Amino acid sequence: MNLMTLERTQIFMLRRLGIRAFYHSNNLNSLSIARRQRALFSALSHNTTPSSSTKRQITQQNQPHARLLISGPNATGIVASFSRLLFNHSCDIVDCASESSSGDDSTNGDDRKLFFQRIEFDHSQLDNRREEVEEEIVGMCRQFGMGCRLTWGNKQHRMAIFVSKYDHCLWELLLRHRAGELDCDIALIISNHESLRHVADTFGVPYLVFQIEKENRIEIERRQLEILHEHKIDLIVLARYMQILSEEFLNAFDSHRIINIHHSFLPAFKGGKPYHRAHERGVKLIGATAHYTTGDLDEGPIIEQDIMRVTHRDDVKDLVRKGRTLEKTVLVTAVKAHLEERIIVHMNKCIVFPE
């Protein structure tokens, strides 16, 4: 960086940080590089209050956006109607995506086109008229015979991670969360083994262990549900949790709020050591599937999948290593889509809108 560029950079940062409280803006140019550098370090270390214009910019950037998901029969004027509704309330649409498809119930004579849309909008100018907007959206959906889900972006998801002994998915979730890629609060980790407590301690997340046996399963799940409700958990992620959740547990916790991850060999290689049996069969593709958990084991609506090619040169360790890489990546992608309200579940499939 040459001398002139350094001077301009210092002056720009000082002004953006509101250093007018220390030096008048006209005097910034006359200060030496060393004095400007000291002023800059002082401002950063003392968290100097930004100028009013900078405050407004930060407020606008951090303003949470509302997300509206609508689904139902396709019809002319849906997009225009909802866009006009939001415009009339001074809401600015910042992202909009839509999909249409044929009906899934053609066997019963219902082959209508279906329409799915996700609208993300800035409601900073809405003031206190949210209820009015909500009522108009519900009325509009009723007019078109559609369903909707609206979130205002002012409530952070609270997530619980269930895990057993495999740690690759747990590490990935916690690291991505620390990096700011997952917008949620990871409130606790629940396990049936002590072995991964050190991972939870690394990130300062409470780690609860429940020794599950056939005789105490019902009681353990009841206690787990109580803890989940106490912590106001609205998303459970099964990060290679090697226990089958009972129907009672699933009924007590909405199934579209539980995400599971597993290899994509199902239904071919059920049970233990799937990679060993896949290697014996000489498979050429391995993969991972993330889905919502339902009463039908591993058959819930699929959120995300990915595959990787393998060859006869790959041994069992190679398959396991590559499979785990897929599992943790696919799981994080699915969780991120859920947290960002980019999923509409229709019958037994997921419509996932792009980032």
Side-chain angles (χ1 to χ4, degrees):
M1 182 182 292
N2 59 43
L3 186 61
M4 184 174 295
T5 303
L6 177 60
E7 290 179 340
R8 289 175 178 174
T9 302
Q10 287 179 333
I11 292 171
F12 172 77
M13 293 183 68
L14 287 167
R15 284 176 175 164
R16 288 299 300 271
L17 286 169
I19 310 304
R20 295 177 184 85
F22 293 91
Y23 303 100
H24 293 296
S25 59
N26 292 334
N27 295 331
L28 286 174
N29 292 320
S30 63
L31 294 174
S32 66
I33 291 177
R35 291 192 66 189
R36 280 198 297 264
Q37 192 73 12
R38 288 196 297 271
L40 182 58
F41 286 157
S42 176
L44 292 172
S45 62
H46 290 86
N47 192 25
T48 305
T49 304
S51 62
S52 57
S53 61
T54 304
K55 284 183 177 179
R56 285 194 298 271
Q57 293 175 4
I58 294 174
T59 301
Q60 291 172 358
Q61 292 173 358
N62 294 336
Q63 176 69 34
H65 293 158
R67 292 153 181 168
L68 172 63
L69 299 173
I70 58 176
S71 60
N74 199 359
T76 302
I78 294 176
V79 175
S81 297
F82 282 97
S83 299
R84 189 181 305 112
L85 187 157
L86 295 174
F87 173 78
N88 290 338
H89 288 280
S90 301
C91 294
D92 181 24
I93 295 177
V94 297
D95 185 63
C96 182
S98 60
E99 304 284 345
S100 61
S101 64
S102 299
D104 292 327
D105 199 19
S106 57
T107 55
N108 294 331
D110 187 3
D111 57 353
R112 294 177 298 173
K113 285 278 189 180
L114 299 173
F115 182 80
F116 309 94
Q117 186 174 39
R118 177 184 183 272
I119 303 174
E120 186 170 340
F121 60 93
D122 179 2
H123 56 88
S124 57
Q125 305 300 318
L126 189 58
D127 298 326
N128 297 318
R129 292 178 286 125
R130 290 185 182 180
E131 291 185 3
E132 182 180 342
V133 173
E134 291 173 355
E135 291 176 0
E136 291 188 25
I137 288 175
V138 170
M140 188 75 68
C141 287
R142 190 179 299 115
Q143 175 184 334
F144 285 103
M146 310 187 79
C148 69
R149 183 169 81 248
L150 174 63
T151 58
W152 291 103
N154 56 349
K155 180 182 178 182
Q156 194 174 46
H157 287 278
R158 292 181 59 79
M159 184 169 80
I161 302 174
F162 280 47
V163 66
S164 291
K165 290 184 176 181
Y166 296 118
D167 65 351
H168 55 291
C169 289
L170 177 62
W171 275 108
E172 191 73 6
L173 287 166
L174 294 172
L175 286 169
R176 295 288 191 96
H177 178 262
R178 174 171 287 183
E181 297 181 33
L182 299 177
D183 184 17
C184 66
D185 177 16
I186 300 180
L188 62 133
I189 299 170
I190 291 178
S191 180
N192 55 326
H193 295 281
E194 279 283 351
S195 54
L196 298 183
R197 182 179 292 279
H198 67 283
V199 181
D201 291 343
T202 300
F203 292 88
V205 180
Y207 187 84
L208 307 179
V209 176
F210 296 90
Q211 300 292 342
I212 300 177
E213 305 292 343
K214 184 177 180 180
E215 296 75 17
N216 68 354
R217 178 176 298 274
I218 296 177
E219 175 60 23
I220 291 296
E221 287 194 344
R222 185 187 65 78
R223 287 168 56 193
Q224 289 175 340
L225 285 170
E226 289 177 354
I227 292 172
L228 294 173
H229 290 310
E230 287 174 5
H231 286 79
K232 299 180 180 180
I233 300 299
D234 56 28
L235 174 64
I236 296 176
V237 178
L238 306 179
R240 295 308 307 271
Y241 184 61
M242 311 307 287
Q243 296 288 323
I244 298 176
L245 299 177
S246 69
E247 187 174 351
E248 290 75 14
F249 186 99
L250 296 175
N251 290 337
F253 205 93
D254 184 4
S255 59
H256 294 160
R257 293 191 292 148
I258 304 176
I259 298 177
N260 191 20
I261 182 71
H262 60 70
H263 59 80
S264 289
F265 295 135
L266 298 174
F269 305 122
K270 291 183 177 181
K273 297 186 175 181
Y275 289 101
H276 292 72
R277 286 184 288 150
H279 182 263
E280 293 172 358
R281 287 289 303 275
V283 299
K284 299 299 183 282
L285 289 173
I286 62 172
T289 297
H291 62 90
Y292 286 120
T293 301
T294 63
D296 297 324
L297 183 63
D298 295 327
E299 295 186 11
I302 295 172
I303 305 171
E304 177 70 9
Q305 289 181 303
D306 198 5
I307 60 172
M308 182 183 297
R309 295 198 67 84
V310 295
T311 72
H312 61 278
R313 296 182 178 180
D314 292 302
D315 58 21
V316 174
K317 290 183 179 179
D318 293 327
L319 264 60
V320 171
R321 173 176 54 81
K322 294 180 178 181
R324 288 180 177 176
T325 298
L326 288 172
E327 289 171 2
K328 63 185 183 181
T329 303
V330 167
L331 179 59
V332 167
T333 302
V335 171
K336 193 171 189 293
H338 178 95
L339 295 175
E340 295 174 357
E341 310 286 351
R342 290 190 283 109
I343 304 173
I344 295 178
V345 179
H346 174 69
M347 299 182 70
N348 198 44
K349 68 169 58 174
C350 289
I351 290 82
V352 184
F353 295 99
E355 291 188 62

